[in-house]
């Protein structure tokens, strides 16, 4: 085990290469650029011996990963914001083809107006593509989640691609110390990928051809079943990682001081990390409140959240907005509780466009809900309001 102090993007590059992918397809976009740059540096030094394909767009990057993965090899890529949106068609293709591609998405605002800072609207807009989605709150979690995601995606009961999201600049360009295992330890945890099917000229098959309605519906149902299977496998893989490396970030959610709590705060990504400071301060002030940091948005941990609702009311902070509705996590939480729980759910939208959401802001939000002054769903911290 060694300590590496570096930015989230360079840590992600280290994790990606240690997973030993056979193919990495790369196209730069701020603030993802240093991720693929980091992998390119490992190519130059000889530490990464896989195929590194420089393509002309993000659509091509995902297309290259799809082609490579279909031949039965491990693949990785990264993107952000408009790059992720340009991939949209191929994200559906990768999931429906049941290809276990792993990709980092560095959460960045979608324009116009032009903005390179963070919120989650880019990845949230891809929630229905079939990809599993994880949201990280530290550089250590980025490293650990990338390795675990390959193991999850490649499991025959899942066979779906995985998107690992983390906040632009807050994590992507901030240096933190990270424990890096030895390569042999990673290899023991993540053995060589053995595909369930592949394109092979010696054993030809028909793939991606015309499909009739009844069979197509079965494919969609099978994808849903695989997402449900992932709910069971994520905790098992997280426990296996904990046993081998001594680190645990939670599974579908991370619970923090939830015992005896009468209110539970739900948040994702960097806001989830900041929330721990707020929870500590609120506890000192006598508020019985805990944190459930949502790590997996797909599959959505509705069973876990339903259990938490039995002990108290829920407060949700979304760094995204489903325009015409409300925050995405807020909507999902209410749907999970519908007809099954009497808990109140308070929704807040904060931090869009990269605006800071400090632990002080989070404390104010929580106090507003606890004191009964919160609306059904409201925007926090709008300029001039």
């Amino acid at each position: 085990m060694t300590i590496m102090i570096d930015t989230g993007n360079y840590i992600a590059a280290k994790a990606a290469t240690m997973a030993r992918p056979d193919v990495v397809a790369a196209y730069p976009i701020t603030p993802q650029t240093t991720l693929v740059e980091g992998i390119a540096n490992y190519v130059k030094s000889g530490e990464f011996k896989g195929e590194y394909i420089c393509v002309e767009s993000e659509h091509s990057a995902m297309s290259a990963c799809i082609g490579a993965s279909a031949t039965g090899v491990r693949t990785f890529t990264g993107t952000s914001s408009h790059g992720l949106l340009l991939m949209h068609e191929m994200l559906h293709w990768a999931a429906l083809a049941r290809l276990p591609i792993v990709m980092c998405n560095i959460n960045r605002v979608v324009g116009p107006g032009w903005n390179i800072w963070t919120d989650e609207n880019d990845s949230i807009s891809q929630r229905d593509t079939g990809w599993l989605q994880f949201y990280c709150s530290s550089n250590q979690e980025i490293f650990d989640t990338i390795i675990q995601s390959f193991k999850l995606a490649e499991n025959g009961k899942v066979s779906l691609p995985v998107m690992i999201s983390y906040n632009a600049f807050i994590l992507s360009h901030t240096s933190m110390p990270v424990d890096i295992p030895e390569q042999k330890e990673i290899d023991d945890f993540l053995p060589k990928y053995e595909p369930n099917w592949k394109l092979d000229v010696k054993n030809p098959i028909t793939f991606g051809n015309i499909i009739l309605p009844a069979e197509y519906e079965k494919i969609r149902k099978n994808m849903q079943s695989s997402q449900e299977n992932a709910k069971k496998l994520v905790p098992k893989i997280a426990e296996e990682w904990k046993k081998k490396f001594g680190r645990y970030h939670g599974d579908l959610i991370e619970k923090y001081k939830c015992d005896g709590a009468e209110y539970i705060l739900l948040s994702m990504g960097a806001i989830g990390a900041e929330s721990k400071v707020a929870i500590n301060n609120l506890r000192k002030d006598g508020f019985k409140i805990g944190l459930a940091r949502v790590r997996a948005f797909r599959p959505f941990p509705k069973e876990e959240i339903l259990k938490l609702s039995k002990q108290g009311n829920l407060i949700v902070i979304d760094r995204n907005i489903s325009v015409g509705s409300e925050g995405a996590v807020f909507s999902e939480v209410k749907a999970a509780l519908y007809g099954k729980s009497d808990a109140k759910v308070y929704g807040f939208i904060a931090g869009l466009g990269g605006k800071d959401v400090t632990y002080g802001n989070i404390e104010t939000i929580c106090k507003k809900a606890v004191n009964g002054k919160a609306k059904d769903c409201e925007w926090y911290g709008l300029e001039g309001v």
Side-chain angles (χ1 to χ4, degrees):
M1 189 81 71
T2 58
I3 301 294
M4 179 177 176
I5 301 175
D6 220 322
T7 65
N9 278 352
Y10 285 129
I11 293 299
K14 182 67 173 177
T17 54
M18 291 188 76
R20 296 190 187 276
D22 297 279
V23 173
V24 172
Y27 189 83
I29 179 172
T30 303
Q32 170 262 42
T33 302
T34 52
L35 167 54
V36 294
E37 176 192 84
I39 297 175
N41 289 336
Y42 288 121
V43 173
K44 182 179 179 181
S45 69
E47 293 179 62
F48 176 60
K49 302 185 185 301
E51 188 75 22
Y52 185 80
I53 307 173
C54 294
V55 294
E56 72 278 10
S57 74
E58 291 86 357
H59 188 282
S60 297
M62 186 50 58
S63 297
C65 284
I66 287 170
S69 186
T71 67
V73 302
R74 184 172 289 161
T75 59
F76 177 84
T77 189
T79 191
S80 181
S81 188
H82 291 267
L84 183 67
L85 305 189
L86 187 56
M87 287 181 177
H88 179 72
E89 174 193 7
M90 304 316 292
L91 296 183
H92 278 285
W93 216 103
L96 281 162
R98 310 307 297 272
L99 300 173
I101 300 162
V102 172
M103 172 174 66
C104 282
N105 175 65
I106 292 76
N107 285 128
R108 173 191 144 184
V109 170
V110 173
W114 209 243
N115 181 315
I116 59 172
W117 289 275
T118 193
D119 64 31
E120 297 156 357
N121 284 310
D122 57 352
S123 54
I124 292 295
S125 71
Q126 308 303 315
R127 60 184 163 176
D128 298 327
T129 57
W131 283 61
L132 297 124
Q133 287 193 10
F134 290 95
Y135 289 78
C136 296
S137 65
S138 71
N139 292 2
Q140 183 71 67
E141 188 178 7
I142 292 169
F143 182 94
D144 297 350
T145 303
I146 288 172
I147 304 297
Q148 292 178 47
S149 292
F150 277 107
K151 189 157 192 168
L152 177 66
E154 293 169 3
N155 187 291
K157 294 181 179 180
V158 176
S159 297
L160 286 170
V162 178
M163 182 188 305
I164 300 133
S165 292
Y166 55 92
N167 294 104
F169 300 104
I170 299 171
L171 294 181
S172 68
H173 286 64
T174 299
S175 291
M176 301 178 188
V178 173
D179 289 333
I180 307 294
E182 298 298 322
Q183 182 65 61
K184 185 181 183 307
E185 294 178 298
I186 297 295
D187 293 342
D188 290 341
F189 180 85
L190 181 67
K192 185 175 174 61
Y193 170 44
E194 297 293 338
N196 293 319
W197 69 273
K198 63 180 180 179
L199 297 177
D200 185 352
V201 294
K202 295 180 181 179
N203 297 287
I205 59 172
T206 297
F207 177 74
N209 211 326
I210 298 297
I211 185 169
L212 297 176
E215 283 67 37
Y216 182 85
E217 191 171 35
K218 290 177 184 177
I219 289 175
R220 283 291 187 180
K221 176 61 170 64
N222 192 259
M223 288 175 68
Q224 177 66 23
S225 297
S226 293
Q227 289 266 353
E228 294 298 322
N229 290 340
K231 284 185 180 180
K232 301 173 184 176
L233 285 167
V234 169
K236 291 180 180 179
I237 292 172
E239 283 294 333
E240 184 182 348
W241 185 268
K242 180 181 178 181
K243 184 176 180 180
K244 188 173 183 63
F245 300 108
R247 294 191 299 278
Y248 182 72
H249 308 283
D251 40 64
L252 297 167
I253 62 175
E254 180 193 19
K255 297 178 185 177
Y256 183 74
K257 296 191 174 182
C258 287
D259 291 343
E262 296 177 356
Y263 284 82
I264 305 291
L265 170 65
L266 290 94
S267 54
M268 295 199 305
I271 291 180
E274 192 79 5
S275 294
K276 291 181 179 179
V277 181
I279 295 299
N280 290 341
N281 291 340
L282 289 165
R283 282 280 187 167
K284 289 177 183 177
D285 291 340
F287 291 90
K288 294 181 179 180
I289 187 166
L291 168 69
R293 181 174 65 86
V294 179
R295 295 191 66 237
F297 185 71
R298 285 291 182 272
F300 192 74
K302 57 184 180 182
E303 295 84 1
E304 296 289 328
I305 291 170
L306 180 59
K307 288 178 185 177
L308 289 169
S309 75
K310 299 298 183 180
Q311 70 181 77
N313 297 327
L314 306 180
I315 306 164
V316 181
I317 300 177
D318 272 295
R319 201 170 207 153
N320 61 76
I321 172 65
S322 180
V323 177
S325 183
E326 54 206 3
V329 179
F330 183 50
S331 290
E332 298 271 351
V333 168
K334 289 193 296 181
L337 270 52
Y338 180 73
K340 300 175 183 177
S341 174
D342 294 327
K344 292 182 179 179
V345 186
Y346 303 96
F348 293 84
I349 296 166
L352 302 192
K355 189 170 181 179
D356 284 340
V357 181
T358 67
Y359 64 84
N361 298 145
I362 297 166
E363 288 174 44
T364 299
I365 286 171
C366 291
K367 288 177 181 177
K368 191 169 188 180
V370 172
N371 293 330
K373 296 181 179 179
K375 301 174 185 176
D376 176 57
C377 182
E378 63 179 275
W379 295 66
Y380 176 82
L382 286 177
E383 295 296 335
V385 178

